[in-house]
Amino acid sequence: LGDVYKRQTKTSERRTYMIKIQIPATSANLGAGFDALGLALTYYNYVEMEESDRIEISSSDDINIPTDENNLIYISAKDLFNICGKNLKGLKIRQTNNIPMARGLGSSSACIVAGIVGANMLLGNPLSTDDLVDLAAQIEGHPDNTAPALLGGIVTAVFDGKKVHWVKQEVYTKLKFAAIIPDFELKTEKARACLPSEVSHKDAVYNLSRAALFSASLLTGKFANLRTAVHDKLHQPYRMELIPNAREVFDIAYNHGAYGSYISGAGPTIVAIVDENNKYFSGKMKFSLDNAGLSGWQVHEFHIDNDGTKLIAT
C-alpha cells in the first residue's frame, strides 16, 4: 500500500485548519452474515481535528477516553500519516461520543474511520475511498463495521488480508432499526473467544443461504423472509450465553411485530427490524422490558444512513 500512497501524496495539498466530521454507528453481521455484512445507522459520533505541535485530546460529553497517544483516533490518524510518508507532530482532537462503547454498534470502528478520514482530509485527500476502506480493515482486522461506517448503506465485504472487495447498496425502505441496548458491556475479545474454531459443513451451508436471503429480501421488499434470514449457527447461539435475557428480548421484539431480530456485531445490543408504520414499537418494547424486570435495556430507533462518514464543518 505504501508505494501507492506515496505516489498519490505528491499532488495533495496539506490543510492546517480545524475540520469536523460525522461518523455513523454501524450494525454488523445482520444475523447470518458473520464478518461479511454490515449497515450504517442514523446515529453519530462527531470528531473535530486539527494538526498541532502536541497531542491535545478531549471529550465534549465527559465520556472517559484516552487523551494520549493511545487514543484510537490518534493511532489511526498517525498510521495514515506514516503510510503517506508524512510527519505528524501532534493533533488536536475533540470527540463527541454518542455511540456507546462495547455495545456492538461500531464504536471502535467509528474511531478508526474518524482517524483515517480526518487525517486524509488534513493531507488534502491523497487516498482514494478504496484505499481508506482497505486501511480501515487492516487496522480493525475485518471490514464488517469499518466499511459501512465509511461508505454508508448496507455493505457486503470480503477482506483477503490486504484488500477489501466490497459492494455498497443504498437502501430506501419503509423500515426502521430498533437498537435494544442493555446497561452492560460485552468486549469484542470476549465475544470472539467464545466461538468455535471449526464448524460443520451443514452449518456453513445454513449460514450461506440465509446471508444471501437477507440481502435479497431487504433490497426487494420481501420483509417476511427476514425472520428466517437472521437465523445463524456461526456466532449467535454462542454469544447468546454471554447476554443475559437475550432470548427473552428476542421474544418480546417478535411479539411486538419485528420482522427480524439479531445480535448487533459482537453484542450485547440486539437490533429489531421493524416496519416504519409500526409507530409504537419502541414504546411497547420498553413497556414490556420494564414489566419483565429488564428496565436497564433502552430502545432507540434509527434508519439506514446511506452517506457514511462525511465532512460537516471546516
Side-chain angles (χ1 to χ4, degrees):
L1 291 174
D3 290 340
V4 174
Y5 295 160
K6 287 173 185 176
R7 286 198 300 272
Q8 290 172 329
T9 57
K10 291 180 181 179
T11 58
S12 63
E13 178 185 352
R14 196 153 177 170
R15 316 275 176 100
T16 58
Y17 49 77
M18 174 74 77
I19 60 172
K20 183 176 182 180
I21 54 179
Q22 173 183 282
I23 314 97
T26 49
S27 181
N29 300 329
L30 313 182
F34 182 61
D35 278 2
L37 295 179
L39 56 82
L41 297 168
T42 53
Y43 189 28
Y44 305 103
N45 277 2
Y46 298 90
V47 172
E48 297 167 81
M49 186 184 295
E50 183 179 13
E51 277 199 74
S52 174
D53 291 333
R54 57 184 180 178
I55 300 173
E56 299 178 68
I57 303 174
S58 62
S59 172
S60 65
D61 44 18
D62 298 321
I63 299 295
N64 186 25
I65 59 169
T67 57
D68 57 14
E69 66 275 5
N70 295 309
N71 182 282
L72 186 53
I73 297 175
Y74 179 80
I75 290 170
S76 303
K78 188 174 182 180
D79 281 350
L80 187 138
F81 267 71
N82 288 340
I83 287 170
C84 292
K86 301 293 185 179
N87 182 45
L88 179 63
K89 294 181 180 179
L91 283 176
K92 184 175 183 180
I93 298 171
R94 184 172 173 83
Q95 300 178 223
T96 303
N97 306 283
N98 294 315
I99 304 169
M101 297 180 184
R103 293 299 200 284
L105 290 169
S107 61
S108 63
S109 291
C111 290
I112 291 168
V113 169
I116 65 172
V117 170
N120 197 46
M121 289 179 177
L122 292 176
L123 290 175
N125 295 309
L127 306 192
S128 69
T129 298
D130 278 329
D131 294 333
L132 294 175
V133 171
D134 293 344
L135 179 57
Q138 288 176 12
I139 296 171
E140 178 76 342
H142 44 87
D144 53 347
N145 283 111
T146 54
L150 268 164
L151 304 167
I154 179 171
V155 179
T156 305
V158 173
F159 183 39
D160 65 13
K162 294 182 179 180
K163 181 173 179 56
V164 178
H165 308 271
W166 58 269
V167 175
K168 168 192 172 179
Q169 293 166 298
E170 295 189 4
V171 181
Y172 300 94
T173 66
K174 294 184 177 180
L175 294 177
K176 53 189 177 182
F177 293 75
I180 309 160
I181 308 171
D183 57 356
F184 56 86
E185 296 183 349
L186 177 57
K187 298 293 186 183
T188 301
E189 295 81 6
K190 183 177 181 180
R192 282 194 173 267
C194 76
L195 303 181
S197 58
E198 295 181 356
V199 297
S200 70
H201 185 271
K202 182 179 179 180
D203 287 350
V205 172
Y206 184 99
N207 266 61
L208 283 169
S209 60
R210 281 156 180 78
L213 181 66
F214 183 94
S215 295
S217 299
L218 187 70
L219 295 168
T220 59
K222 297 194 71 172
F223 303 140
N225 288 340
L226 295 178
R227 186 161 183 168
T228 296
V230 294
H231 289 181
D232 153 83
K233 290 191 176 182
L234 298 187
H235 70 105
Q236 290 186 123
Y238 308 98
R239 289 170 170 172
M240 282 277 195
E241 305 306 318
L242 304 179
I243 307 172
N245 306 113
R247 287 181 174 81
E248 190 170 1
V249 174
F250 271 64
D251 290 342
I252 293 171
Y254 283 122
N255 286 341
H256 291 309
Y259 285 123
S261 297
Y262 63 88
I263 296 174
S264 182
T269 293
I270 292 168
V271 168
I273 307 171
V274 184
D275 195 284
E276 206 171 53
N277 294 323
N278 191 344
K279 296 181 180 179
Y280 304 107
F281 177 85
S282 289
K284 291 189 290 186
M285 189 79 203
K286 181 59 178 165
F287 179 80
S288 296
L289 290 169
D290 290 346
N291 281 346
L294 303 176
S295 58
W297 294 70
Q298 300 298 316
V299 185
H300 302 278
E301 291 184 356
F302 308 108
H303 290 87
I304 291 180
D305 172 284
N306 283 310
D307 297 325
T309 296
K310 60 184 180 181
L311 178 71
I312 58 172
T314 57

